[in-house]
Amino acid sequence: MTAYAIAKLQDAAPHPEVADYIERLPATFEPYGGRFLVHATPHEVKEGDWPGAVVMIGFPGIAEARAWWESPAYRELAPLRSRHIDGDIILVEGVPGDYVPTAAVRAIREAAAGGGA
């Protein structure tokens, strides 16, 4: 099942190390079947506060996403970003194309009934 690396990165002053990071990044995820889905493109904030940039990389599965994150190539490269840009990064597994949220709804209803809400 497809998995994603999603980053919400704060705006930072331009720095040569960040340029090097961006330039070298695709080579780190290509061996794991990763590819950019979103890369700092403009986004519309509909609720909440989302300053900065969004980056999303798709992988064939969560194992590949984890292997990329833990790979020597990425671990060596990551400080070029983290020294200059603060942010939040997650790895998350997607849902199948035929996903229906029935189980999630059932769990919420059961929790609400048991909690007296």
Side-chain angles (χ1 to χ4, degrees), residues 26-47:
T28 68
F29 55 70
E30 287 170 358
Y32 304 96
R35 67 180 186 89
F36 278 118
L37 300 175
V38 175
H39 187 250
T41 53
H43 59 275
E44 294 181 30
V45 178
K46 299 300 186 185
E47 290 187 29

Side-chain angles (χ1 to χ4, degrees), residues 72 80 83 100:
L80 298 181
R83 282 195 287 263
V100 178

Side-chain angles (χ1 to χ4, degrees), residues 81-95:
R81 173 196 44 79
S82 64
R83 282 195 287 263
H84 307 286
I85 302 174
D86 291 327
D88 301 307
I89 301 173
I90 64 169
L91 301 181
V92 61
E93 192 168 28
V95 297

Side-chain angles (χ1 to χ4, degrees), residues 5-102:
I6 303 171
K8 180 183 170 203
L9 304 173
Q10 301 305 313
D11 289 325
H15 193 280
E17 285 190 342
V18 174
D20 289 344
Y21 172 83
I22 294 168
E23 188 173 61
R24 295 169 48 195
L25 182 61
T28 68
F29 55 70
E30 287 170 358
Y32 304 96
R35 67 180 186 89
F36 278 118
L37 300 175
V38 175
H39 187 250
T41 53
H43 59 275
E44 294 181 30
V45 178
K46 299 300 186 185
E47 290 187 29
D49 187 24
W50 276 72
V54 177
V55 176
M56 189 167 167
I57 303 166
F59 291 91
I62 195 72
E64 291 87 351
R66 287 180 184 133
W68 162 73
W69 181 260
E70 297 165 3
S71 71
Y74 184 68
R75 300 307 336 142
E76 178 184 323
L77 189 62
L80 298 181
R81 173 196 44 79
S82 64
R83 282 195 287 263
H84 307 286
I85 302 174
D86 291 327
D88 301 307
I89 301 173
I90 64 169
L91 301 181
V92 61
E93 192 168 28
V95 297
D98 60 351
Y99 175 76
V100 178
T102 305

